[in-house]
């Protein structure tokens, strides 16, 4: 239980925080309202976990009905007993179905007791911590200097504090990751620059502070810590942000262009109290975003509920939607996945669409709702969006960016199939040799455009690598990939021509036999085109082909021999055995 120290005297404002104030401080996504027949004005005295052996709980408690199924008759009894004890509210878990039962709502209306539901992502332990922090923060008066900052606007808070203390501010979480920083225009030191660019304090600096015992002192102190200037590093002030004994993060102030004023420590001390509200909101927002992501991931995997996703995102259950499978360039490493997802979400939102971006291995899936109600125009929307996104992703992460476009579904329940087609299209685009061709035939899932819808190059060009496509545009490559999936590999069968070429290239001095054969077959045996692709003279190529057939015994005049060679070369590529 977490009682409010000022409870029990005067009016509701002085007696303690109301349920409405508590929920506002905690932010959206932690608790869901079920029923509040008398509103949310009840004064909250503390938090108590339900104990059937201990009836008669103190008044004004938020009662956590741990282990009670909200669908059961026992849940109704809990609500009625809570009303007799004067509970402020009863909190149930999400239950097995995730639906709010009518019987529980009726009981709440009969007794006048507020009923809330814990969200699926927030465990009971996390909820107790959030409620404890919320109760403490509900009684903290807003500092007038920063009261105008919208709850959760950490960048606005950092700017406000920077103006008050006359320095450069960063707000960090307990792992030294940067949550926000002030937009100060003064020259800043190199450490601050590295911290902001990397969105976290450099590892070497964290290690040094940990070894020196700084974090132990910071988290154990309830006051501002002063770090004097040292070398090129200016003086700094830092304070831990906490609520109800829980550490939420820290605020750092670095002197910029002069010494910090004498009142800076007092200002920072006051700002830390207000910052706790913002950090709690920030945490709620992030976990709500994780809840949306989990709901989208479950649906795309074929194990989730369209209704749940619609409730979390506002995307209508019925309406045209689609999935895009995105693979960025090689420069997008694991730590940059967040940047990729933010880019995709912002770009989709700018087009008035309703996106949910789900990180996956080596890329992301983009679920897009709010497409045009006419199916053909919705398909064209997806095509335009894919071409726009692939250009921006390529600019940010490298020219290897590829996007597979899923079929347009007329309901959220059809998104697993859209995701499957997007994955197949992406797999085809990642296959070496997938090229764009002019005059692509329009299908129900292919936008009728001039030139080549599957490439970001000039319309009508040939031979350019595709960067974005619907599955219908790369159906042949998809079929070939599915066929290759059934074949053994990647090593070619012994005593076949390709096996002999692989052995020859691996011998003394190496060689380019496999590379030459691949290019020759890809260009249908056309010597000038093959020579240009390999960067050699046509006569040099003819000599290579002659030597190649001599070494391998390959009969280039045999359709069967050519087909087998191409299949084996594809298997080599898939297995990472590409030569040259």
């Amino acid at each position: 239980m977490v009682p409010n120290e000022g409870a029990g005297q005067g009016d509701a404002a002085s007696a303690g925080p109301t349920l409405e104030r508590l929920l506002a401080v905690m932010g959206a996504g932690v608790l869901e309202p079920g029923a509040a027949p008398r509103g949310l004005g009840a004064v909250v005295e503390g938090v108590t976990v339900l104990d059937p052996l201990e009836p008669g709980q103190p008044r004004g408690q938020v009662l956590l009905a741990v282990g009670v199924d909200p669908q059961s008759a026992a849940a109704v009894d809990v609500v009625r007993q809570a009303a007799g004890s004067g509970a402020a509210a009863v909190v149930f878990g999400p239950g097995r179905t995730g639906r709010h039962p009518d019987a529980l709502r009726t009981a709440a209306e009969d007794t006048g007791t507020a009923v809330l539901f814990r969200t699926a992502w927030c465990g009971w332990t996390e909820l107790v911590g959030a409620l404890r922090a919320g109760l403490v923060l509900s009684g903290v008066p807003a500092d007038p200097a920063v009261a105008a900052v919208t709850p959760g606007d950490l960048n606005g808070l950092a700017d406000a504090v920077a103006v008050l203390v006359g320095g450069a501010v960063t707000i960090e979480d307990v792992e030294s990751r940067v949550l926000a920083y002030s937009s100060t225009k003064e020259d800043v030191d190199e450490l601050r620059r590295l911290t902001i660019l990397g969105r976290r304090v450099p590892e070497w600096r964290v290690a040094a502070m940990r070894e020196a015992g700084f974090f132990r002192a910071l988290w154990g102190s309830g006051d501002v810590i002063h770090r004097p200037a040292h070398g090129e590093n200016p003086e700094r002030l830092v304070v831990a942000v906490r609520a109800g004994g829980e550490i939420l993060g820290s605020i750092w102030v670095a002197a910029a262009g002069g010494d910090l004023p004498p009142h800076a420590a007092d200002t920072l001390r006051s700002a830390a109290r207000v910052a706790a509200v913002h950090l709690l909101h920030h945490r709620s927002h992030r976990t709500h975003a994780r809840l949306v992501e989990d709901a989208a991931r479950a649906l795309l995997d074929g194990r989730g509920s369209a209704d749940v996703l619609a409730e979390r995102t506002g995307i209508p259950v019925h309406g045209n939607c689609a999935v895009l499978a995105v693979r960025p360039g090689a420069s997008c490493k694991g730590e940059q996945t967040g940047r990729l997802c933010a880019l995709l979400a912002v770009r989709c939102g700018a087009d008035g669409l309703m996106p949910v971006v789900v990180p996956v291995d080596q890329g992301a899936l983009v679920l897009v709702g709010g497409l045009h109600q006419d199916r053909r125009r919705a398909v064209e929307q997806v095509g335009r969006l894919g071409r726009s996104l692939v250009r921006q992703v390529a600019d940010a992460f490298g020219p290897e960016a590829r996007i597979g476009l899923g079929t347009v579904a007329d309901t959220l329940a059809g998104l697993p199939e859209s995701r499957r087609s997007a994955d197949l299209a992406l797999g085809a685009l990642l296959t070496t040799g997938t090229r764009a061709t002019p005059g692509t035939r329009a299908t129900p899932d292919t936008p009728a455009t001039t030139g080549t819808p599957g490439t970001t190059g000039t319309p009508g060009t040939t031979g350019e690598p595709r960067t974005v496509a619907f599955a219908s545009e790369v159906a042949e490559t998809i079929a070939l990939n599915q066929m290759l999936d059934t074949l053994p590999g990647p090593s070619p069968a012994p005593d076949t021509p390709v096996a002999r070429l692989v052995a020859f290239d691996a011998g003394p001095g190496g060689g380019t036999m496999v590379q030459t054969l691949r290019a020759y077959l890809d260009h249908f045996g056309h010597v000038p085109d093959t020579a240009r692709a390999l960067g050699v003279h046509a006569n040099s190529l003819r000599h290579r082909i002659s030597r190649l057939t001599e070494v391998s015994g390959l009969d280039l005049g045999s359709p069967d021999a050519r087909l087998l060679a191409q299949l084996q070369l594809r298997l080599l590529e898939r297995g990472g055995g590409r030569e040259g």
Side-chain angles (χ1 to χ4, degrees):
M1 183 191 308
V2 184
N4 186 293
E5 292 179 1
Q9 301 178 18
D11 57 18
S14 62
T18 64
L19 190 57
E20 182 178 21
R21 170 66 177 163
L22 174 61
L23 296 179
V25 167
M26 292 176 62
V30 177
L31 291 170
E32 296 177 339
R38 296 180 183 172
L40 300 173
V43 174
V44 179
E45 304 283 353
V47 180
T48 300
V49 176
L50 174 66
D51 185 352
L53 300 179
E54 223 179 279
Q57 301 290 345
R59 296 184 61 84
Q61 300 297 301
V62 174
L63 188 63
L64 307 183
V66 179
V68 179
D69 185 351
Q71 300 283 351
S72 67
V76 174
D77 293 337
V78 168
V79 172
R80 297 190 183 280
Q81 292 167 7
S85 299
V90 182
V91 180
F92 292 93
R96 295 186 179 89
T97 65
R99 303 174 69 90
H100 299 171
D102 292 336
L104 207 56
R105 186 176 295 108
T106 300
E109 292 172 353
D110 290 344
T111 61
T113 302
V115 171
L116 307 173
F117 292 89
R118 173 178 63 83
T119 54
W121 58 263
C122 184
W124 288 113
T125 302
E126 290 79 10
L127 179 59
V128 170
L131 286 169
R132 291 177 68 243
L135 276 174
V136 173
L137 297 177
S138 297
V140 176
D143 189 321
V146 293
V149 179
T150 303
D153 181 8
L154 293 181
N155 283 316
L157 177 65
D159 283 337
V161 175
V163 170
L164 291 172
V165 301
V169 174
T170 56
I171 302 176
E172 302 171 10
D173 66 10
V174 294
E175 299 296 330
S176 298
R177 291 180 292 242
V178 175
L179 302 177
Y181 56 91
S182 61
S183 54
T184 177
K185 294 181 174 59
E186 292 88 349
D187 292 335
V188 295
D189 59 285
E190 181 67 8
L191 180 58
R192 174 178 165 83
R193 188 184 70 83
L194 292 174
T195 298
I196 291 175
L197 288 178
R199 300 297 296 181
R200 66 179 303 134
V201 179
E203 289 294 341
W204 58 268
R205 182 64 173 172
V206 172
M209 289 191 293
R210 184 179 296 117
E211 184 177 351
F214 172 77
F215 289 114
R216 189 163 53 250
L218 174 62
W219 306 137
S221 171
D223 206 354
V224 175
I225 294 178
H226 178 258
R227 292 176 65 83
H230 178 71
E232 296 181 355
N233 294 323
E235 69 168 324
R236 279 177 163 81
L237 296 177
V238 58
V239 64
V241 179
R242 51 168 52 86
E246 182 176 4
I247 299 171
L248 303 176
S250 60
I251 305 178
W252 291 72
V253 177
D259 295 335
L260 291 172
H263 69 271
D266 291 336
T267 302
L268 187 57
R269 194 176 295 112
S270 175
R273 292 195 296 270
V274 180
V277 177
H278 294 271
L279 286 176
L280 198 58
H281 267 267
H282 177 76
R283 176 192 291 180
S284 297
H285 174 74
R286 289 183 61 186
T287 46
H288 177 68
R290 187 174 64 194
L291 177 62
V292 170
E293 178 188 315
D294 289 345
R297 190 187 302 278
L299 181 62
L300 295 178
D301 288 345
R303 54 183 175 81
S305 164
D307 291 333
V308 170
L309 181 62
E311 180 183 345
R312 300 298 183 200
T313 63
I315 300 175
V317 173
H318 299 286
N320 287 329
C321 51
V323 175
L324 289 74
V326 181
R327 179 71 63 85
S331 66
C332 183
K333 306 301 182 184
E335 63 273 13
Q336 291 186 303
T337 301
R339 179 184 167 209
L340 169 67
C341 292
L343 184 155
L344 296 171
V346 169
R347 182 64 188 83
C348 293
D351 282 356
L353 300 173
M354 304 173 71
V356 178
V357 182
V358 179
V360 295
D361 185 35
Q362 297 182 297
L365 295 172
V366 184
L367 185 163
V368 182
L371 296 174
H372 197 279
Q373 61 184 4
D374 178 77
R375 180 177 177 80
R376 185 173 185 82
R377 294 184 67 176
V379 170
E380 292 173 351
Q381 263 185 300
V382 173
R384 287 194 301 270
L385 177 63
R387 292 189 292 278
S388 173
L389 284 179
V390 83
R391 285 193 294 269
Q392 296 199 7
V393 174
D395 289 343
F397 300 105
E400 307 91 350
R402 300 289 185 268
I403 298 181
L405 308 177
T407 54
V408 172
D410 59 6
T411 174
L412 290 180
L415 285 178
E417 180 58 32
S418 180
R419 185 257 178 96
R420 179 178 177 276
S421 67
D423 283 340
L424 289 173
L426 178 60
L429 293 173
L430 295 173
T431 300
T432 303
T434 302
R435 304 287 171 180
T437 54
T440 300
R441 180 175 66 257
T443 72
D445 287 302
T446 304
T449 55
T450 302
T452 309
T455 179
T456 57
T458 304
T461 59
T462 61
E464 294 295 325
R466 281 187 182 273
T467 57
V468 57
F470 287 92
S472 56
E473 297 177 292
V474 287
E476 293 88 348
T477 306
I478 290 173
L480 179 59
N481 284 342
Q482 292 173 334
M483 182 186 302
L484 292 174
D485 286 340
T486 67
L487 299 177
S491 299
D495 297 327
T496 57
V498 171
R500 297 188 188 103
L501 293 181
V502 171
F504 182 87
D505 285 350
T512 57
M513 292 294 186
V514 171
Q515 178 191 24
T516 301
L517 177 60
R518 179 181 290 111
Y520 186 75
L521 295 176
D522 284 349
H523 291 87
F524 307 102
H526 190 263
V527 171
D529 286 349
T530 306
R532 278 193 293 272
L534 293 173
V536 299
H537 193 274
N539 288 336
S540 298
L541 175 63
R542 293 187 180 95
H543 175 73
R544 282 194 192 183
I545 296 298
S546 175
R547 178 63 174 152
L548 182 152
T549 55
E550 176 186 339
V551 169
S552 66
L554 176 62
D555 180 5
L556 290 173
S558 167
D560 289 346
R562 294 197 304 272
L563 176 59
L564 175 62
Q566 285 194 299
L567 289 174
Q568 290 180 325
L569 290 171
R570 288 296 182 92
L571 287 170
L572 279 175
E573 288 178 346
R574 288 159 63 96
R578 182 174 181 176
E579 301 293 325

